[in-house]
Amino acid sequence: MVHLDGDITVSDGHLVFDGVDVVALARRVATPFFVFSPRRIRWNVSAMVNAFTRRHLDTEIFFASKACSNLWFLDQVRRAGINLEVNSGGELWKAQRAGFAPAQIIFNGVAKTRDEIRAAVEAGVRALVVDSVYELERIAEVAAAVGRPAAVDLRVDVNVATLTHPGLVTAHGGKPGIDLDDALEAFAFAGAHEALAPRGLHLHIGSQITGVEPYLAAVEKGLDLIEAVAAAGVPLDHLNAGGGFAIPYRDQPVCEPVDYFCSALTIDDYAEAICGVLERRRPGLKLLLEPGRSISGNTALLVTTIENTKVKGLRDAAGRRVGDERWLTVDAGFNTLLEHTNYRWYYRTVVASRAAEAADTPFRLAGPLCDGGDVFAGDDDTPYRSFPAATAPGDVVVFFDAGAYSLEMMNPYNARPRAAAYAAHEGEIQMIRAADTLDDLIACDVEPGASTAATRAGGKAPAGS
Ligand SMILES: Cc1ncc(COP(=O)(O)O)c(C=O)c1O
């Protein structure tokens, strides 16, 4: 059963995305590929801006570019009218290439190098988000050397439990941020240092958070801290509540509390919670947000082709065959959608070339890599995907909600070229990323016999070469 989202329809048994027949496209260009919807990017940005500014006018949104830093995507986000969060020198460079002004950029990161700090200070980014007391001192040192005070937000772990995948927890014992016990002293240090200009408190508490309670608790604690910091003589002008808003990867009417792939919350629910606390306690305080997944997640499909099929015995503990399993292998695995093995992420799938047929037959669905782990999680916590009975090699399988943390994490494992990406709009297609060529697969390798000094432009030649 295909879930239709308005701009996704079925025509002649094929899945159509914003007017583009993805099966016809898959017959014309190499699979796997991603197909993005610029219309959805605009919808998501305006839903986010409206939900928050309606409730708290002084809100600014910074798209978390780690979710999708493709230049075309960044350009769409910029044109839609929001700013950018970056997490490395590379993302800062891409942000500037995509036309974001330094004042539109927030620089995050849990292990910033001196070079990255210098680049951010010299560019004059809106704020560097500080991950530790050690890093605060490092930023002060670099800013003093550059001769320009660094605007800083301190990221504090406000110790709230989050309802999300264990790999995505960033507060409450997670890696990022300054311990709450040390926060006041860190702000006092920043306030007293002439090379530092403390501006705000940063609280990103995790990703795909499927409840509003963690935000309620985090914002309350954050406002307590902002009051204490002001009382200590360091007034702050904003609270950065981070991102983390969940999207529904699983299509279910009711979500189990621990099922972080299922979310019944809308952006309005998150806005109501966060702005509710802010309006009650500090209506004049600026709110910053850094959403990634909730802007880019549902803007892309991953389109793949089935290349192999087999039936294998299902065996009990004693090795007796107790049934059969039908397997299908598509041409994208964790090289293209890393999260499926990294976090056992669940992406809804449909057989786009049989979109009008009943999806009533269980199949195991696997990727093309040689690893036994390159097998996709099944529906409803079973090992199986429900597909039409006749599904076979040559059919086109689409993965939904593949726009966040996907292009970013592709890798050429098994020497498989990283996939292309297209934008679809009202039946028209535009390439926004080319697939790797075979030459790309060896572009960074030094050919046997070549001089080590002849490394690629921008690379560092090894000492003594
Ligand atoms: C500091 C920071 N801000 C924003 C985000 C974006 O989170 P999400 O994509 O869940 O909105 C992340 C990712 O976890 C992050 O680490």
Side-chain angles (χ1 to χ4, degrees):
M1 184 40 195
V2 178
H3 171 106
L4 301 178
D5 281 330
D7 54 349
I8 297 184
T9 53
V10 174
S11 174
D12 292 337
H14 290 180
L15 196 80
V16 177
F17 188 36
D18 204 345
V20 172
D21 178 330
V22 295
V23 179
L25 184 60
R27 309 268 191 249
R28 194 149 60 79
V29 302
T31 58
F33 61 81
F34 291 85
V35 56
F36 283 79
S37 159
R39 190 198 300 268
R40 286 188 174 205
I41 299 170
R42 288 195 298 275
W43 279 346
N44 292 345
V45 169
S46 81
M48 183 80 62
V49 170
N50 289 339
F52 280 89
T53 56
R54 204 150 53 81
R55 295 174 170 90
H56 187 76
L57 190 58
D58 197 4
T59 302
E60 277 188 74
I61 297 174
F62 295 73
F63 171 63
S65 63
K66 72 205 76 184
C68 187
S69 73
N70 170 275
L71 283 186
W72 171 87
F73 195 95
L74 296 184
D75 184 58
Q76 294 289 311
V77 164
R78 190 178 56 74
R79 287 168 191 274
I82 58 172
N83 301 330
L84 206 64
E85 181 263 0
V86 303
N87 207 58
S88 68
E91 284 185 358
L92 173 61
W93 179 78
K94 288 179 91 171
Q96 293 178 297
R97 283 292 287 260
F100 286 89
Q104 293 179 287
I105 301 171
I106 286 178
F107 194 110
N108 257 297
V110 295
K112 301 176 197 70
T113 65
R114 283 196 163 76
D115 285 348
E116 287 177 319
I117 294 168
R118 186 174 307 106
V121 173
E122 282 176 352
V125 298
R126 177 72 163 273
L128 277 114
V129 179
V130 184
D131 184 69
S132 69
V133 173
Y134 170 79
E135 190 180 76
L136 193 55
E137 292 169 9
R138 177 181 273 205
I139 292 172
E141 244 176 69
V142 174
V146 170
R148 176 176 194 169
V152 289
D153 283 6
L154 269 55
R155 181 170 184 176
V156 176
D157 181 347
V158 285
N159 251 317
V160 297
T162 42
L163 309 165
T164 188
H165 189 291
L168 303 178
V169 170
T170 57
H172 202 53
K175 165 175 74 168
I178 297 170
D179 195 284
L180 188 54
D181 291 346
D182 302 328
L184 201 51
E185 207 178 319
F187 272 110
F189 173 86
H193 203 296
E194 59 184 16
L196 298 172
R199 300 265 195 258
L201 170 66
H202 183 283
L203 294 180
H204 177 70
I205 54 174
S207 189
Q208 185 68 5
I209 297 174
T210 53
V212 296
E213 299 79 8
Y215 289 99
L216 292 171
V219 175
E220 292 281 7
K221 286 183 161 196
L223 293 179
D224 291 345
L225 181 59
I226 287 174
E227 275 167 23
V229 169
V234 186
L236 299 177
D237 72 26
H238 64 257
L239 170 73
N240 184 333
F245 312 135
I247 64 168
Y249 286 92
R250 238 195 256 286
D251 194 15
Q252 268 162 217
V254 180
C255 298
E256 297 292 322
V258 291
D259 181 357
Y260 33 68
F261 297 124
C262 184
S263 175
L265 294 179
T266 64
I267 285 303
D268 277 297
D269 295 321
Y270 293 101
E272 189 66 33
I274 293 171
C275 300
V277 181
L278 215 55
E279 285 290 302
R280 176 167 49 79
R281 290 190 51 183
R282 288 292 304 276
L285 191 70
K286 183 187 279 297
L287 172 66
L288 307 189
L289 297 167
E290 294 174 355
R293 187 186 306 280
S294 49
I295 298 289
S296 68
N298 72 356
T299 65
L301 310 178
L302 170 64
V303 181
T304 68
T305 304
I306 299 172
E307 294 293 351
N308 194 4
T309 187
K310 66 185 77 165
V311 176
K312 291 188 78 177
L314 186 63
R315 295 178 194 279
D316 66 13
R320 285 183 296 259
R321 188 166 183 145
V322 292
D324 289 343
E325 284 186 320
R326 292 172 69 180
W327 286 78
L328 297 169
T329 315
V330 291
D331 53 8
F334 68 76
N335 55 324
T336 311
L337 218 43
L338 181 66
E339 299 278 61
H340 103 77
T341 49
N342 197 14
Y343 293 143
R344 294 302 289 155
W345 209 258
Y346 175 84
Y347 297 90
R348 268 185 308 135
T349 45
V350 298
V351 181
S353 44
R354 298 181 184 276
E357 296 174 32
D360 54 7
T361 306
F363 287 90
R364 302 292 303 272
L365 182 67
L369 305 173
C370 52
D371 301 61
D374 191 28
V375 175
F376 293 95
D379 295 324
D380 304 325
D381 293 326
T382 71
Y384 304 106
R385 298 274 169 161
S386 291
F387 287 158
T391 305
D395 275 318
V396 174
V397 173
V398 159
F399 293 71
F400 284 83
D401 304 316
Y405 305 105
S406 49
L407 282 194
E408 295 303 301
M409 297 196 188
M410 283 198 290
N411 61 76
Y413 180 50
N414 275 188
R416 288 183 166 272
R418 290 175 302 165
Y422 301 87
H425 184 59
E426 292 180 359
E428 299 294 318
I429 277 294
Q430 173 197 351
M431 183 186 268
I432 60 168
R433 189 203 126 77
D436 287 352
T437 62
L438 290 179
D439 281 338
D440 290 332
L441 296 176
I442 55 166
C444 294
D445 293 0
V446 177
E447 296 262 8
S451 157
T452 51
T455 49
R456 282 151 55 91
K460 287 182 191 157
S465 65

